[in-house]
Amino acid sequence: MKHGTDEQKNRYIMPMLSADEIWCQLLSEPEAGSDLANVATRAIKEGDHYIVNGQKIWTSLAHAAKFGILLARTNPDAPKHAGLSYFIVPMDLPGIEITPIVEMTGMHLFNQVFFTDVRLPAENLIGEENRGWELAKDTLANERVTLAREGAQWGWGPSARDLVNLVRERGGVPDPVMRQRLAQLYSEGEILRIHSLRMVADRLAGKPLGPESSTRKALSDPHGQHIFQIARDLSGSAGLLADVGPLGADPMWWANGFLFAPALTIGGGTSEVLRNVIGERILGLPREPDPDAGRAWTETRRTKGAQAK
Ligand SMILES: Cc1cc2nc3c(=O)[nH]c(=O)nc-3n(C[C@H](O)[C@H](O)[C@H](O)COP(=O)(O)OP(=O)(O)OC[C@H]3O[C@@H](n4cnc5c(N)ncnc54)[C@H](O)[C@@H]3O)c2cc1C
């Protein structure tokens, strides 16, 4: 919506919003997660195509996606943030291989995606070549808001309110310590709900999305984990069962959610990295030292080993 041409917007946005066409994010790589600007997947322009080679990992829903957004390196001689470009990739192009990664929940959410001499039409570039980092930052800021909804599990799981209501329906809990934990959980949920309204109001007032998206995610990920920890504790020994504990309801919510919960503070930016953003961009603390600042990506420490191989 922000960086595409009119043709790109007309073609892609509506089917994306209606979910007629599922998309995935081809960002992370084995050596580029928190340090996303270290992406090594190469896109080399040849005539009216880019030739893409490399590997992505943790790509949620790549196996279901019709398109992916790809961050790839178009200029390895520029500093690492300045040589990246942002593309739209039809996931059925020849040379793309998708292999599943099964999580400890037993579900298959994410994948590895390998690119071997994939011919990507040049018109699939979004924005300008080598300016992809700006687009990636916009994507990540928006993702942080989407992931930081009130319900646990990035919005699609139960909320603190759901758990408290369930406990009420079951006649409450006699243990005062557990009651205190539930009250605290409920308060966290309310703070997040009100924070969310404030962010919506800011957007409606036309304010751009800033580093506050990191604050929100830093608060809501541990909150999601608290919901499942308390649900497990309420379940007692039956909480050890993989399917339906005494909390009943949808097993996806409780047993599966408990196993998924560690992922919350990793995906979309880890808690540690979010705290760096809050420290540097909101609190004005000194920036983390960057030994690679100003050096060409090919000259940075982490690529030297890879090139030697
Ligand atoms: C459920 C789930 C879905 C995902 N879906 C996608 C997807 O669709 N597309 C995609 O591209 N990626 C996806 N990811 C990947 C995700 O973005 C990365 O896992 C995440 O950015 C962390 O990168 P990493 O795993 O390489 O960990 P690393 O970056 O290697 O981090 C390892 C540890 O070091 C810490 N650390 C790293 N750097 C710093 C620092 N500067 N200061 C302090 N601590 C630091 C981290 O906090 C972490 O604890 C998904 C991840 C999960 C869990």
Side-chain angles (χ1 to χ4, degrees):
M1 285 170 69
K2 189 166 163 190
H3 301 276
T5 60
D6 286 342
E7 288 78 31
Q8 287 169 336
K9 290 183 211 173
N10 290 337
R11 165 61 189 88
Y12 295 112
I13 291 178
M14 284 318 290
M16 184 194 288
L17 286 177
S18 63
D20 286 327
E21 290 173 351
I22 305 288
W23 285 61
C24 63
Q25 301 195 135
L26 299 154
L27 305 175
S28 305
E29 297 180 5
E31 290 298 325
S34 301
D35 186 12
L36 184 60
N38 195 42
V39 154
T41 294
R42 290 294 315 274
I44 298 174
K45 195 151 186 213
E46 268 187 29
D48 54 2
H49 282 76
Y50 286 88
I51 311 299
V52 182
N53 281 287
Q55 178 197 352
K56 296 290 173 179
I57 194 167
W58 315 124
T59 318
S60 302
L61 294 177
H63 53 297
K66 190 166 170 64
F67 298 102
I69 49 174
L70 169 73
L71 193 62
R73 189 158 304 276
T74 34
N75 182 1
D77 298 320
K80 64 179 177 181
H81 294 93
L84 296 166
S85 300
Y86 194 103
F87 298 95
I88 298 168
V89 178
M91 293 301 287
D92 56 1
L93 285 181
I96 296 182
E97 187 193 349
I98 301 170
T99 60
I101 302 175
V102 177
E103 299 97 53
M104 70 176 170
T105 56
M107 292 191 307
H108 163 208
L109 170 69
F110 37 45
N111 304 272
Q112 300 192 83
V113 181
F114 298 90
F115 294 82
T116 310
D117 294 330
V118 174
R119 289 178 62 78
L120 186 61
E123 68 203 30
N124 285 28
L125 176 74
I126 312 185
E128 289 173 41
E129 195 180 79
N130 298 322
R131 299 289 295 274
W133 184 247
E134 278 171 43
L135 280 73
K137 279 199 299 187
D138 276 336
T139 305
L140 296 179
N142 281 291
E143 181 186 29
R144 278 169 194 166
V145 175
T146 325
L147 292 180
R149 283 173 291 169
E150 203 185 329
Q153 287 172 310
W154 293 327
W156 53 269
S159 65
R161 200 182 283 242
D162 291 324
L163 183 59
V164 170
N165 286 341
L166 190 57
V167 169
R168 279 209 186 101
E169 281 166 24
R170 305 281 166 109
V173 279
D175 175 6
V177 175
M178 180 53 86
R179 282 209 300 271
Q180 187 64 34
R181 287 176 69 195
L182 282 164
Q184 193 168 353
L185 188 75
Y186 190 87
S187 309
E188 281 176 10
E190 283 300 287
I191 291 166
L192 282 164
R193 191 177 63 79
I194 292 163
H195 191 262
S196 168
L197 293 176
R198 188 163 70 182
M199 288 184 76
V200 172
D202 281 351
R203 290 301 85 66
L204 291 175
K207 289 192 194 162
L209 188 57
E212 74 276 12
S213 62
S214 298
T215 319
R216 184 165 173 74
K217 189 169 183 293
L219 291 172
S220 73
D221 289 341
H223 175 65
Q225 292 174 343
H226 296 161
I227 292 176
F228 289 112
Q229 278 153 7
I230 294 182
R232 271 276 140 142
D233 291 348
L234 282 166
S235 305
S237 55
L240 295 172
L241 299 177
D243 48 11
V244 194
L247 286 172
D250 183 345
M252 275 293 285
W253 273 23
W254 305 117
N256 188 297
F258 182 78
L259 292 175
F260 185 80
L264 297 173
T265 46
I266 302 173
T270 70
S271 282
E272 293 77 14
V273 167
L274 297 177
R275 278 168 175 70
N276 284 348
V277 175
I278 294 167
E280 291 172 12
R281 295 185 50 202
I282 300 180
L283 302 178
L285 297 176
R287 291 186 71 83
E288 208 185 350
D290 180 2
D292 300 333
R295 296 164 72 196
W297 178 74
T298 41
E299 287 300 312
T300 59
R301 282 171 309 147
R302 293 177 65 188
T303 53
K304 280 199 165 146
Q307 282 177 345
K309 278 178 202 161

